[in-house]
Amino acid sequence: MKRVFHYIGGEFRPPSAGNYLEDLDPATGEVIAEVADGDATDIDAAVAAASRAFPSWRRTPAEERSSLLMRLADLIEENFEELAALESLDSGKPIALARRLDVPRAVRNFRFFATAILHAETKCHPMDDRALNYTLRQPVGVAGLISPWNLPLYLLTWKVAPAVAAGNCCVAKPSELTPLTANRLAELAREAGFPPGVINVVQGRGAGAGRALTAHPDVPLISFTGGTRTGADVMALAGPLFKKVSLELGGKNPNIVFADADLEEAVATSISSSFSNQGEICLCGSRIFVERTIYDDFLARFLDRAKKLEVGDPQDPSTEVGALISEAHLRKVSGYVALAREEGGEVLCGGKRPTSLPERLRGGWFLEPTVVTGLDCSRRVMQEEIFGPVVTVTPFDTPDEAVAFANSSRYGLSASVWTRDLGKAHRVAAAIECGTVWVNTWLLRDLRVPFGGMKESGVGREGGFESLDFFTEAKNVCIKL
Ligand code: NAD
């Protein structure tokens, strides 16, 4: 059985306490690897290695840091197929999606920050003829990077790339459910020539390695992506230690379709925004609101397409919906389908395991794309993040009502708006309480823009120079003239 170790100080090391977790294939339920279950001792070793590497790394010229990041991007590209296959195997996502989204984005993350640091500028504030202020942007030290299982390599590299580009060393703690691509990334970082200790990976559970990293006194910065409840724990641990914290948390995103929208395109993209990655993307539009005059037409077309989605073997290139991450998660998501019925909703399709799966996938965690109607916005199914292939569809009458429905949530991550009326698009976009609004599209990401959530979807922004700001301290130097 393959064993996945930590990567500390440039070496692959077994867990100090000798404990391992089983890594399961979501499509079959079978064990595919044993993963080091890191603890505070492993975190201490990784933080010590990162601290040792920091004085030299922070002084490494930006051009050299940039070249190493570029080299790593090239290596990810050279190992594209292997990484896509590992990601699909580990997370249950369709291989086609790993090829289209996850691995290309990991490459882009490194190239983006490798080039960004070559174009960094700083501000100068002259005080007439009295003094000159300028701002130095300096790396923070050892960055703690905690990432989830839904986009494992994509989100891990979204943190590692800006952290080390800005001159920090890092200790990354990937999800215990999807350790494989993080482990492969560590191998590639070594091959690229990153000095030992600049990038470290400690595997294991959140309660062990995750909490130890968050609470470590020599880790002044935590970038966390995961669930809202976990984010609260991270904040509670990091707050009294006055760490810099960025939290990218859950979502319950509205997808608003006005009667004047290009209906065919709105339906096609809404299918993607509902069911891509089995609905396990924080940006999925899980609450669809449709203007009443086109509600029946939209729903009929949407249902027709949802029923035709290919649910099946993640490794088959024609599969559109793969397996959910774990048995516990499938139980949670199925529980929300049952709750939808209890709350008076109607399940128009899905809600059950597909009947046509081959024998090999008998033990896998599959759920058909599920469409629910008939619930009002106060219901739990409309309020709580389900994070699976389950969407609600609800009619509205006016733009104000659509905005009120959209904002009737504790979350505020993203939204989509479908309309051909430019003025309405601007007004609605401005009124929705969330960090990203897409108009007539979904998941179109420019890496330069600020990314993050309002309300319970997060604290802080990453993306572009906002990431480089987060991963550095601003220092004002005031020179009397
Ligand atoms: P999770 O919160 O359970 O785990 C995320 C990571 O935190 C994992 O590495 C886990 O091991 C670690 N962790 C768990 N408990 C911890 C603790 N007490 N202290 C420190 N670390 C701990 O989330 P998940 O189930 O892996 O991911 C799904 C969630 O992530 C969803 O809510 C989704 O919306 C959210 N998400 C948000 C974004 C975003 O950009 N806003 C992106 C992707 C996923």
Side-chain angles (χ1 to χ4, degrees):
M1 178 65 57
K2 179 182 168 60
R3 282 197 153 173
V4 178
F5 290 167
H6 306 311
Y7 179 64
I8 297 174
E11 288 171 7
F12 287 90
R13 290 197 206 166
S16 58
N19 295 329
Y20 290 87
L21 302 164
E22 287 185 336
D23 181 21
L24 306 178
D25 173 355
T28 62
E30 284 164 11
V31 181
I32 47 178
E34 288 180 334
V35 188
D37 188 15
D39 59 15
T41 308
D42 299 310
I43 290 289
D44 277 346
V47 173
S51 302
R52 276 194 302 276
F54 180 56
S56 157
W57 182 247
R58 71 176 300 172
R59 284 196 310 273
T60 302
E63 281 195 12
E64 271 179 49
R65 281 185 269 131
S66 172
S67 303
L68 281 168
L69 268 83
M70 286 299 228
R71 174 81 189 117
L72 183 50
D74 292 346
L75 285 172
I76 295 171
E77 213 160 48
E78 283 167 29
N79 292 276
F80 189 98
E81 270 308 312
E82 184 200 352
L83 285 162
L86 280 178
E87 203 71 305
S88 168
L89 175 70
D90 216 8
S91 69
K93 73 175 65 215
I95 182 96
L97 186 69
R99 286 181 181 141
R100 194 169 67 242
L101 180 72
D102 298 70
V103 185
R105 177 59 187 272
V107 174
R108 282 177 69 209
N109 286 342
F110 280 107
R111 292 206 174 126
F112 180 83
F113 288 106
T115 50
I117 55 171
L118 302 179
H119 302 274
E121 291 177 352
T122 188
K123 284 185 176 154
C124 177
H125 298 91
M127 298 171 71
D128 303 317
D129 55 359
R130 290 168 59 204
L132 209 57
N133 292 276
Y134 63 88
T135 308
L136 279 181
R137 283 259 160 213
Q138 298 181 310
V140 180
V142 178
L145 313 176
I146 303 177
S147 50
W149 48 259
N150 65 325
L151 301 166
L153 188 66
Y154 170 134
L155 288 171
L156 178 70
T157 54
W158 182 234
K159 298 180 186 303
V160 171
V164 301
N168 304 282
C169 295
C170 70
V171 176
K173 209 301 283 169
S175 170
E176 60 274 33
L177 301 177
T178 51
L180 298 185
T181 49
N183 182 61
R184 190 72 187 104
L185 182 74
E187 290 173 352
L188 296 176
R190 183 155 80 166
E191 191 179 334
F194 276 88
V198 172
I199 297 174
N200 304 276
V201 179
V202 175
Q203 305 279 1
R205 287 167 303 139
R211 294 193 99 229
L213 179 60
T214 309
H216 200 290
D218 298 332
V219 177
L221 175 151
I222 299 290
S223 171
F224 171 84
T225 301
T228 293
R229 223 177 292 154
T230 320
D233 190 39
V234 168
M235 198 64 143
L237 280 174
L241 298 167
F242 307 107
K243 299 189 180 213
K244 275 191 108 171
V245 178
S246 159
L247 302 174
E248 304 284 358
L249 308 176
K252 187 75 178 173
N253 309 306
N255 176 13
I256 301 173
V257 186
F258 285 103
D260 63 5
D262 177 332
L263 194 55
E264 201 42 45
E265 218 182 308
V267 169
T269 306
S270 297
I271 286 288
S272 301
S273 65
S274 301
F275 303 120
S276 285
N277 209 41
Q278 305 73 245
E280 296 167 327
I281 300 182
C282 54
L283 301 164
C284 276
S286 52
R287 294 180 298 149
I288 305 179
F289 299 110
V290 186
E291 194 161 355
R292 197 177 300 275
T293 50
I294 57 157
Y295 179 78
D296 290 340
D297 194 3
F298 177 94
L299 191 59
R301 296 191 202 199
F302 187 76
L303 279 171
D304 182 48
R305 283 190 179 233
K307 287 178 189 163
K308 287 188 183 137
L309 285 169
E310 282 288 331
V311 186
D313 192 342
Q315 293 177 39
D316 179 337
S318 66
T319 293
E320 295 170 292
V321 177
L324 299 198
I325 186 67
S326 66
E327 190 173 8
H329 191 55
L330 174 61
R331 222 178 300 123
K332 176 189 145 183
V333 175
S334 305
Y336 277 106
V337 179
L339 180 64
R341 291 192 172 103
E342 278 168 39
E343 288 186 322
E346 201 178 344
V347 178
L348 298 183
C349 74
K352 58 180 177 34
R353 190 184 162 79
T355 46
S356 58
L357 292 174
E359 184 62 14
R360 188 181 94 78
L361 307 180
R362 209 184 37 198
W365 304 305
F366 293 88
L367 186 70
E368 284 179 351
T370 305
V371 180
V372 176
T373 56
L375 293 176
D376 75 61
C377 292
S378 64
R379 296 299 183 168
R380 279 182 59 203
V381 168
M382 295 281 282
Q383 286 289 325
E384 296 173 18
E385 185 185 44
I386 299 174
F387 217 55
V390 179
V391 284
T392 56
V393 190
T394 311
F396 67 85
D397 290 302
T398 64
D400 284 350
E401 190 176 48
V403 169
F405 285 176
N407 289 343
S408 67
S409 164
R410 298 191 316 276
Y411 293 104
L413 191 57
S414 70
S416 285
V417 178
W418 293 88
T419 177
R420 288 188 174 103
D421 177 335
L422 198 53
K424 187 158 64 186
H426 285 301
R427 283 191 299 278
V428 171
I432 298 176
E433 297 157 355
C434 67
T436 298
V437 180
W438 282 291
V439 177
N440 298 330
T441 185
W442 176 70
L443 208 61
L444 185 55
R445 292 277 293 118
D446 181 327
L447 302 192
R448 294 170 300 179
V449 305
F451 178 83
M454 294 183 187
K455 297 164 48 174
E456 291 189 16
S457 287
V459 175
R461 292 291 180 274
E462 295 187 27
F465 288 108
E466 308 250 0
S467 286
L468 293 177
D469 283 355
F470 173 66
F471 284 106
T472 52
E473 290 280 17
K475 181 188 285 177
N476 173 54
V477 180
C478 177
I479 300 176
K480 185 171 175 294
L481 296 177

